[in-house]
Amino acid sequence: MAQLEIKNLHVCIGENEIIKGLDLVVGQGEIHALMGPNGSGKSTLAYALMGHPSYQVTAGDILFDGESLLEMAPDERSHLGMFLAFQYPVAIPGVTVANFLRTAINGHRQAKNPDDKGMPIPEFRKVLKEKMDLLQMDHGFAGRYLNDGFSGGEKKRAEILQMATLEPRIAILDETDSGLDIDALRTVAEGVNALQGPDLGVLVITHYQRLLNYIKPDYVHVMFSGMIVESGGPELALQLEEQGYDWIREKHGEANAVSAATGDS
Amino acid sequence: MIPGIEKGQGEPEFVRAYRARAWDAFARMKLPATTEEAWRRTDIRKLDAGRFAPAAPDEAHPDPPIWLLEPLAGDKHGGQITITPNGVEAFLDNELAEKGVVFTDLKTAIRKHPETLEKVLGQLVNAEEDKLSALAGAFAEQGVLLYVPKGVVVETPLHSVLWGPGVGNAYFSHLLVWMEEGSSATYVHEYASPTENGQVLHSGIVEVHVGEAANLRFVELQSWGENVWNFTHERARVDRAGELDWIFGAVGSHLTKNFSEIDLVGEGATGRMSGFYFTDGVQHFDHDTQQNHNAPHTTSDLLFKGALEDQSRSVWQGMIYVAPGAQKTDGYQANRNLVLSREARADSIPGLEILADDVRCTHGATVGKVDPEEVFYLRSRGIPEGEAERLIVEGFFDPIMQRIPFDKVRQRLEQGIVDKLS
Ligand SMILES: Nc1ncnc2c1ncn2[C@@H]1O[C@H](COP(=O)(O)OP(=O)(O)O)[C@@H](O)[C@H]1O
Ligand SMILES: [Mg+2]
């Protein structure tokens, strides 16, 4: 079974170690929630998994189907089936959603077969329409410049549209719920659920329980100060909802104190 | 410097006088130096000025490639002129000729249409601007005259090509356009040559008159080989309610220094200038633009966008001038540069000189780099690095492409992007 396996991962940004020995396994067909207060390193983990060049893995490993991703470029990780829905998607002015998605699809096809001539345009149009309908998006969206002037909700929906189009095997959703009103949240969650199945493993990063009412996790993990400090079932998310993160801080504050002493934030 | 040319032999008196004045200026002047403000960032001391001879017929000259002669602004041409050192081929749709349209090469124009030529020759560009324009004025052999009579609408686009091969050759060109009142046309001119091993010189003059309520779409493509030293002095004048849509696309030459001016001289005149440039290797492009609002209620809108690779360099220097009394004018000017390598450099210098009080003038100039976060975002979707850069560069140029109403011109520029990035 294809899976994402994170082993004793340490990640630095410049001089600062942000992820400090993290272990996690996400199997296909599973939904994992990763929760934790702001600044605990959730986005750093997401970027490191996707291969952002500013995030250095200093120890440990990331395995996909048993194969290490560490030496792979972000596009190669994408070709294998990794996907990250960004907390803050970047605008690409002058590049339409459609042009971008077609280039991405063709990137995947050519990675499999270097002689591939790309998806024919009529077929691409059909695929794109289907996926936009799934996410209840206006077809005019395809002609807009990627994330350029998009509202918060539109950006998140565009992320899920990309996920739907690229059909990854491991998807990391980084705070896909933040900034969404309840209706938008529901549409996005329905979109994710529609893609959910035995072939897809999902890591949902959030610091609210709210999204988890719609996307039901099999496992919940709590991240604090660069490590996973608690793991459990859905009931853990409910506990966090009721009690907040203070008890985590109290229980695991030691790690915090250590990082404060070494000058980490 | 240019041996063996007799000035203006067998030409009408006004042409001879024009050439003689230019020749005197040429003899009197020194080559522009970086001590002059307009040339401060463009050093031409490596131009081997003593080595050139006017291009002469030679069987060894390669023919222009087929793609260069294909229509760019539509499916077919209303007229086409191909100028090479081996001769000129020209055709004009009969129907247009019957309506009085003139579209012919300069030598034929001097012989057959002197009275039309006299309207425009030397009326807009002063050949005595500098030594290079003087050279063009004195010697221009390669040129085009386009004349569109009053009220005539030329539906099919006109196309001319100056093909300039041959190391050591000098090309002097002169484009002359006269649009009478209420006329309309689309005209595409391209300068091109193969890249060869040794210097070629081109100096050109472009003079354009857009009469009252006339309308001209004028596309100039600069696809010189990367051994060409290219100098042009261009000025267009737009009369009352006239419209000029002027598009520049530059990918070629070793060095280009281009002066382009637009004079809005009648109320309601509109001039739009759109520039695309992409430099690589050791190319150096210097575009000097000027938008002159000489009458009230005139509108100008300039957007130049350029990308730079390798050790190349670009300079854009722009000026909006609003004359006293030219109230209610609207002038816009923007230059955007995308620097793709550490060693490339873009200079962008906007300028305003406003002598009227009720005007709206805005300008902007930027020099930026590709944002690595954008590249990461695209790569995270499975787009390889090179493709990601290409998408970002294409996106950068999109606002210019949006201003070009001709699919095939856009495709040519897009091909330019792909070639430069590969
Ligand atoms: N680009 C960066 N440069 C330096 N420090 C960073 C950068 N990104 C994040 N950090 C630091 O890393 C820590 C974790 O941040 P982040 O991963 O964004 O947390 P979360 O997503 O859990 O809110 C924070 O202390 C933050 O200040
Ligand atoms: Mg975050």
Side-chain angles (χ1 to χ4, degrees), chain B residues 7-8 17 75 154 158 160 170 211 237 293 328 362 398:
Chain B
K7 293 171 281 169
D75 297 328
V154 179
L158 305 167
S160 60
R237 176 177 64 201
H293 293 260
K328 307 280 182 202
T362 40
D398 187 74

Side-chain angles (χ1 to χ4, degrees), chain B residues 116-417:
Chain B
T116 308
L117 189 67
E118 194 169 4
K119 278 178 185 252
V120 53
L121 183 77
Q123 298 306 305
L124 288 147
V125 172
N126 180 2
E128 297 170 46
E129 245 359 282
D130 60 43
K131 196 175 183 79
L132 292 150
S133 59
L135 206 45
F139 294 107
E141 294 248 325
Q142 287 100 6
V144 172
L145 171 66
L146 167 61
Y147 173 80
V148 185
K150 190 170 170 181
V152 171
V153 174
V154 179
E155 304 273 4
T156 44
L158 305 167
H159 189 208
S160 60
V161 171
L162 171 56
W163 173 247
V167 169
N169 277 344
Y171 290 86
F172 303 113
S173 73
H174 204 144
L175 303 187
L176 304 126
V177 179
W178 190 274
M179 304 288 299
E180 292 282 12
E181 189 183 330
S183 67
S184 161
T186 297
Y187 174 32
V188 181
H189 177 77
E190 182 154 8
Y191 307 89
S193 65
T195 293
E196 295 170 294
N197 196 11
Q199 295 186 356
V200 166
L201 171 66
H202 169 253
S203 183
I205 291 177
V206 176
E207 302 187 84
V208 176
H209 166 82
V210 179
E212 244 181 79
N215 186 321
L216 177 68
R217 291 156 300 279
F218 182 30
V219 182
E220 277 187 85
L221 299 176
Q222 189 273 92
S223 313
W224 288 118
E226 297 195 9
N227 53 324
V228 176
W229 294 62
N230 175 44
F231 305 93
T232 60
H233 288 75
E234 319 189 12
R235 187 195 288 259
R237 176 177 64 201
V238 187
D239 216 328
R240 180 189 295 267
E243 269 178 53
L244 172 64
D245 190 354
W246 198 354
I247 294 161
F248 301 81
V251 294
S253 80
H254 168 68
L255 176 145
T256 284
K257 174 79 192 180
N258 167 304
F259 295 90
S260 318
E261 291 197 41
I262 192 161
D263 288 351
L264 304 167
V265 299
E267 274 195 47
T270 301
R272 188 157 84 145
M273 299 168 88
S274 308
F276 166 102
Y277 54 90
F278 200 145
T279 55
D280 68 350
V282 293
Q283 286 183 310
H284 178 116
F285 292 1
D286 180 339
H287 292 103
D288 212 308
T289 65
Q290 175 126 8
Q291 298 148 262
N292 298 314
H293 293 260
N294 297 331
H297 292 282
T298 48
T299 305
S300 73
D301 170 9
L302 177 145
L303 177 64
F304 269 55
K305 296 198 88 163
L308 299 95
E309 269 277 28
D310 306 328
Q311 294 99 50
S312 64
R313 225 187 129 175
S314 75
V315 181
W316 172 83
Q317 190 158 197
M319 175 64 78
I320 298 180
Y321 168 78
V322 181
Q327 307 297 6
K328 307 280 182 202
T329 60
D330 186 344
Y332 178 76
Q333 174 193 65
N335 173 236
R336 315 269 173 225
N337 296 281
L338 186 61
V339 177
L340 300 171
S341 91
R342 287 162 63 96
E343 292 161 295
R345 172 173 165 185
D347 289 293
S348 183
I349 308 132
L352 299 176
E353 188 184 350
I354 298 173
L355 305 178
D357 47 29
D358 185 12
V359 303
R360 199 177 70 177
C361 285
T362 40
H363 64 170
T366 53
V367 176
K369 287 188 241 173
V370 171
D371 179 354
E373 298 303 323
E374 291 182 26
V375 176
F376 173 65
Y377 185 74
L378 296 176
R379 294 189 77 183
S380 79
R381 299 320 187 216
I383 298 173
E385 191 173 16
E387 285 277 285
E389 188 183 42
R390 181 184 58 77
L391 267 188
I392 291 166
V393 172
E394 284 178 1
F396 166 78
F397 279 120
D398 187 74
I400 280 291
M401 299 297 179
Q402 296 289 337
R403 289 163 68 114
I404 301 177
F406 310 111
D407 286 351
K408 286 173 192 157
V409 172
R410 283 199 305 270
Q411 281 163 23
R412 278 285 297 281
L413 300 180
E414 275 154 17
Q415 188 57 46
I417 295 173

Side-chain angles (χ1 to χ4, degrees), chain A residues 121-174:
Chain A
I121 292 187
E123 185 186 343
F124 170 71
R125 288 216 181 99
K126 195 165 145 270
V127 170
L128 187 55
K129 267 190 196 149
E130 263 171 38
K131 306 294 183 185
M132 286 195 294
D133 290 342
L134 174 78
L135 294 165
Q136 301 172 22
M137 294 168 86
D138 187 277
H139 291 178
F141 208 77
R144 289 179 61 188
Y145 295 147
L146 183 60
N147 296 324
D148 196 17
F150 283 17
S151 69
E154 285 171 333
K155 282 185 187 165
K156 298 304 168 87
R157 230 180 269 202
E159 292 294 289
I160 304 306
L161 174 67
Q162 294 170 44
M163 174 178 163
T165 313
L166 296 174
E167 298 177 343
R169 294 194 294 154
I170 294 287
I172 305 149
L173 310 183
D174 190 1

Side-chain angles (χ1 to χ4, degrees), chain A residues 73-240:
Chain A
D75 38 312
E76 295 172 300
R77 299 184 194 202
S78 169
H79 298 153
L80 278 185
M82 293 280 290
F83 181 88
L84 168 61
F86 285 62
Q87 182 173 3
Y88 304 109
V90 189
I92 316 280
V95 177
T96 61
V97 170
N99 185 13
F100 157 69
L101 279 175
R102 205 161 75 86
T103 311
I105 288 176
N106 290 342
H108 282 253
R109 289 167 65 119
Q110 274 147 15
K112 285 193 190 74
N113 170 16
D115 297 328
D116 186 273
K117 293 282 175 286
M119 184 181 273
I121 292 187
E123 185 186 343
F124 170 71
R125 288 216 181 99
K126 195 165 145 270
V127 170
L128 187 55
K129 267 190 196 149
E130 263 171 38
K131 306 294 183 185
M132 286 195 294
D133 290 342
L134 174 78
L135 294 165
Q136 301 172 22
M137 294 168 86
D138 187 277
H139 291 178
F141 208 77
R144 289 179 61 188
Y145 295 147
L146 183 60
N147 296 324
D148 196 17
F150 283 17
S151 69
E154 285 171 333
K155 282 185 187 165
K156 298 304 168 87
R157 230 180 269 202
E159 292 294 289
I160 304 306
L161 174 67
Q162 294 170 44
M163 174 178 163
T165 313
L166 296 174
E167 298 177 343
R169 294 194 294 154
I170 294 287
I172 305 149
L173 310 183
D174 190 1
E175 310 247 2
T176 300
D177 51 337
S178 66
L180 295 187
D181 63 31
I182 199 73
D183 290 332
L185 182 70
R186 197 177 292 128
T187 334
V188 163
E190 279 166 7
V192 174
N193 287 329
L195 302 171
Q196 176 53 36
D199 294 332
L200 177 67
V202 184
L203 180 62
V204 184
I205 297 175
T206 179
H207 61 266
Y208 299 112
Q209 137 77 18
R210 196 173 69 141
L211 178 66
L212 305 179
N213 294 331
Y214 299 95
I215 301 175
K216 299 257 185 268
D218 305 302
Y219 306 94
V220 174
H221 312 275
V222 180
M223 188 163 172
F224 185 66
S225 204
M227 285 180 284
I228 287 179
V229 292
E230 299 279 337
S231 287
E235 73 288 346
L236 183 53
L238 291 170
Q239 188 186 350
L240 288 169

